[in-house]
Amino acid sequence: MNLGILGSTTLAYTLGSKYIATGIEVSIGVRNGFEPKDIRWKILNMLSDKVFTYENTIAQSEVILICCENENLKLVCEALKNADLTDKILIDCTNSSFNKVFKCNTTYIQECIGNKTIYKAFNNLGLDYPKSDPLGLIKETYYCGESNVVKFRVKKLIEVVGFKAVDAGDLESAYLLEAFYHLRKEIAINKRDQTDYHFKLISV
């Protein structure tokens, strides 16, 4: 299986490294003109078989994780819209900007690419992960989308890199998953102690 990750974020690099460690073929798509500043990205960028454009990564990947910054989401959507997405699995790992009212990135992406099937996962980690979890305490992520054999594959993709996969239902739950992320960020802001906060699911 070939897995593509779109974005030059810390999350993109971290998930890419985790999947590479499992033996999965990974390529990372970055915007034109991308200049790596972090030493890890500089090393990765020197490998001819790892870093490509958005378009090349989409073309050669069976599974595509969208992990880009919001300012580059439009470019990513344009690349996806112009690509043949037949038999490709799309997973949105981003969160919209929050200004008291927010739109859901997953819905935006789906509308841009012609309402093709898409799943949501990993967004609770945030694009700065693992900086948001320096002690490595986050052991679960939530995912949603149409219930079928593809969703089962999404679950397995989450589990293969060490996370517990929590099914949050159909794609309509993407709004809830993004709200979940924004809530924890608001708690961190109001605590004013430079600490990140996360939620853990428990059963009672």
Side-chain angles (χ1 to χ4, degrees), residues 5 7 10 17 59 86 93 97 112 115 121 129-130 144 147 157 162 169 176 201-202:
I5 301 176
T10 305
S17 298
T86 305
C93 309
S97 299
C112 288
N115 292 317
Y129 178 83
C144 67
S147 295
L157 278 168
L176 300 177
L201 189 70
I202 61 172

Side-chain angles (χ1 to χ4, degrees), residues 2-60:
N2 293 319
L3 184 143
I5 301 176
L6 305 180
S8 55
T9 60
T10 305
L11 177 65
Y13 178 88
T14 303
L15 290 180
S17 298
K18 286 180 178 291
Y19 282 112
I20 289 171
T22 69
I24 292 175
E25 289 294 324
V26 174
S27 60
I28 298 180
V30 297
R31 67 187 184 282
N32 291 327
F34 168 67
E35 295 184 5
K37 296 179 180 179
D38 185 283
I39 185 63
R40 297 173 304 171
W41 276 103
K42 288 181 179 180
I43 294 172
L44 191 64
N45 197 45
M46 289 189 294
L47 303 176
S48 61
D49 64 336
K50 289 291 179 281
V51 180
F52 302 89
T53 64
Y54 293 145
E55 291 79 5
N56 287 341
T57 296
I58 293 167
Q60 63 186 303

